[in-house]
Amino acid sequence: MSGAIEGSSGLGGAGGPSEPSEPHDVCVVGLGYVGLPTAAVLATHGLAVAGVDLRADVLQTINAGQVHIVEPELDALVRAAVAAGSLRALPEPPHARTFLICVPTPFREGHQPDLRHVEAATRALVPVLRPGNLVVLESTVPPTTTRSLVAGVLAEAGLVAGRDVYVAHAPERVLPGAVIREVVENARVVGGVTEACTEVAARFYEGFVKGEVHRCRAETAELVKLSENAYRDVNVAFANELANVCDRLGLDPWEVIGLANQHPRVEILRPGPGVGGHCIAVDPWFIVATAPEDTPLIQAARGVNDDRPRKVVARVKELAERFKRPRVACLGLSYKPNIDDVRESPAVAVVRALQAELSAELLVVEPHLRACPIEGLELCEAEDALRRADIVVVLVMHRQFQRLPKELFTRPSVIDTVGLLT
Ligand SMILES: NC(=O)c1ccc[n+]([C@@H]2O[C@H](COP(=O)([O-])OP(=O)(O)OC[C@H]3O[C@@H](n4cnc5c(N)ncnc54)[C@H](O)[C@@H]3O)[C@@H](O)[C@H]2O)c1
């Protein structure tokens, strides 16, 4: 294919209705926490959407009008879109005008980015791409990935970005639990491989996004997304480091941080048992991988946060010395409050370490799960655990825990890693 693009307007990136010969306006590749809500939202904006995933069970569930992930309002949107025929799930990409890649980007050994899914998803587009189509990478990636990997793979197939097709990065910055609202309301940062690519991609997002659409280079968009999560990680690490210092000095970190925050130019975040989830604990490594010698602060922050569960465990062990076989209540397993997600959760790391290293009866409480994800342990009711415990470790600030009677915390020794009792 060559010389196919005649201008930068009104082409594949436009959000308007498809040509009669083009059955789909948009194809979303990867139907997980990001891709499925995006596909459902686009389908309710009058676009014909195809969703693609490798997992047959995911395709079957969606085509039955159901969902395989927990996200408020998503089930109703998918049901309506599938019933209306505006969303269907397929094993391979069909022809479409715009392609959004929303596949996972984990890290592998040595915290090196694993971009295999992005490469595979891009290669799968080659047979169906047509002149003027738009390809947007929404997955979180290290700087230069959109240009070198996505545009690079397409160029190998003779599809030059800005000449034959448009290629851009538009990182997703949604908050789990509010994805349907945020996909539409959040501002977007859209960076193309060329200026024309930026423009076409930005116009596509302006078709359904209410927040501002900021135009920039692909590399800028990539680093913006990573900077947001690394910023958060570094600031949490500062709070966690202060908490470590307070523990050593026998001071109350909540009092110290609370008083320091009285200063008009200080805003220290809340410490905790560590940093979890699949974004903040992962994305900073993508900056490190790009510039290892320039990122001592980001690397140190990762180290501080990853070491927090060990510090919490050490404090529990210290308290446990007074008992022959203490009962230890562990409040919370998820990586943040009020959700059921335990991916990379520091609370799980603490409980696992206690199970392996301490002779104790562990009373694990997680109101958002039906079964304990840690082998050999069962879940308990919060009040029952608090009544029986010698030691209590508060690991997550769930709403349910905030409502517990404070008297239940007066008898046992308490390690409050999240400031529940302050
Ligand atoms: N989940 C979030 O809150 C969030 C927020 C912002 C950004 N992100 C980023 O968005 C990207 C996707 O994350 P997610 O949470 O949606 O992942 P996910 O694991 O929930 O979903 C990804 C889906 O892609 C499918 N897949 C993998 N390779 C594929 C391929 N070659 N072709 C088709 N389908 C394929 C998987 O089967 C899976 O269903 C990641 O880069 C992530 O860092 C996630």
Side-chain angles (χ1 to χ4, degrees):
M1 189 187 294
S2 68
I5 291 177
E6 288 152 10
S8 62
S9 61
L11 288 168
S18 52
E19 303 289 322
S21 59
E22 204 72 276
H24 295 104
D25 298 300
V26 182
C27 169
V28 179
V29 184
L31 295 172
Y33 284 92
V34 166
L36 184 55
T38 303
V41 164
L42 290 171
T44 58
H45 276 73
L47 298 176
V49 181
V52 174
D53 205 286
L54 298 177
R55 282 176 50 188
D57 58 322
V58 167
L59 302 179
Q60 208 175 3
T61 304
I62 294 168
N63 284 330
Q66 292 162 4
V67 295
H68 63 293
I69 53 177
V70 180
E71 181 60 42
E73 298 172 52
L74 181 63
D75 50 350
L77 276 192
V78 169
R79 201 182 317 122
V82 170
S86 51
L87 172 64
R88 63 185 185 132
L90 301 167
E92 279 167 15
H95 288 295
R97 304 172 81 190
T98 296
F99 295 83
L100 306 181
I101 300 175
C102 307
V103 296
T105 47
F107 58 61
R108 50 187 166 79
E109 209 142 306
H111 301 116
Q112 290 303 308
D114 179 356
L115 300 172
R116 280 174 300 173
H117 302 293
V118 174
E119 182 174 349
T122 309
R123 287 198 190 283
L125 299 184
V126 169
V128 293
L129 283 174
R130 289 180 171 165
N133 282 174
L134 167 66
V135 177
V136 182
L137 178 61
E138 288 206 355
S139 304
T140 307
V141 291
T144 75
T145 303
T146 308
R147 190 178 304 276
S148 57
L149 184 59
V150 178
V153 162
L154 298 182
E156 276 171 27
L159 299 164
V160 175
R163 188 192 75 185
D164 307 309
V165 289
Y166 299 111
V167 178
H169 180 54
E172 189 49 80
R173 300 136 94 202
V174 286
L175 180 73
V179 175
I180 299 298
R181 181 173 53 79
E182 292 207 351
V183 160
V184 176
E185 289 185 3
N186 282 3
R188 297 296 293 238
V189 175
V190 177
V193 163
T194 66
E195 277 181 28
C197 294
T198 305
E199 192 51 37
V200 171
R203 285 188 199 169
F204 168 74
Y205 284 97
E206 282 166 348
F208 70 98
V209 166
K210 287 191 190 146
E212 201 166 333
V213 175
H214 301 281
R215 291 154 166 81
C216 59
R217 291 177 49 183
E219 289 74 14
T220 305
E222 289 164 337
L223 191 56
V224 165
K225 164 72 193 184
L226 299 176
S227 307
E228 291 162 1
N229 283 347
Y231 170 84
R232 196 85 185 144
D233 198 47
V234 168
N235 281 280
V236 173
F238 180 72
N240 280 338
E241 191 160 286
L242 279 181
N244 291 340
V245 173
C246 288
D247 289 346
R248 187 174 292 279
L249 298 177
L251 297 175
D252 176 355
W254 305 101
E255 187 185 6
V256 169
I257 291 172
L259 290 173
N261 281 347
Q262 299 290 321
H263 188 282
R265 287 178 294 285
V266 175
E267 206 178 331
I268 302 167
L269 297 184
R270 302 176 71 84
V275 169
H278 53 290
C279 286
I280 297 183
V282 174
D283 298 350
W285 289 116
F286 291 0
I287 305 184
V288 173
T290 307
E293 64 287 356
D294 296 320
T295 48
L297 178 64
I298 295 173
Q299 294 178 54
R302 281 282 69 241
V304 170
N305 288 335
D306 278 351
D307 195 42
R308 266 297 277 176
R310 196 183 61 79
K311 297 265 191 208
V312 175
V313 169
R315 289 186 61 214
V316 179
K317 284 182 177 169
E318 247 174 68
L319 287 181
E321 278 170 13
R322 287 191 280 130
F323 304 90
K324 198 161 169 222
R325 189 169 187 271
R327 289 196 180 113
V328 182
C330 303
L331 299 194
L333 284 181
S334 60
Y335 81 85
K336 65 176 191 172
N338 310 319
I339 59 165
D340 65 350
D341 194 340
V342 294
R343 286 182 287 179
E344 317 283 334
S345 172
V348 170
V350 168
V351 177
R352 276 193 204 285
L354 292 176
Q355 184 188 30
E357 299 168 26
L358 190 68
S359 170
E361 184 184 345
L362 299 182
L363 309 168
V364 182
V365 182
E366 179 41 79
H368 297 274
L369 294 177
R370 289 217 183 98
C372 186
I374 302 171
E375 211 179 315
L377 295 176
E378 286 181 6
L379 294 180
C380 310
E381 290 297 321
E383 296 207 9
D384 181 45
L386 286 170
R387 287 203 177 90
R388 292 166 57 205
D390 302 303
I391 300 169
V392 176
V393 200
V394 188
L395 295 165
V396 187
M397 179 81 103
H398 285 317
R399 235 173 266 123
Q400 287 94 331
F401 299 161
Q402 289 174 291
R403 292 191 202 116
L404 288 167
K406 293 290 177 277
E407 310 85 73
L408 288 172
F409 292 89
T410 47
R411 188 192 46 79
S413 305
V414 178
I415 297 173
D416 181 5
T417 69
V418 294
L420 179 77
L421 303 173
T422 52

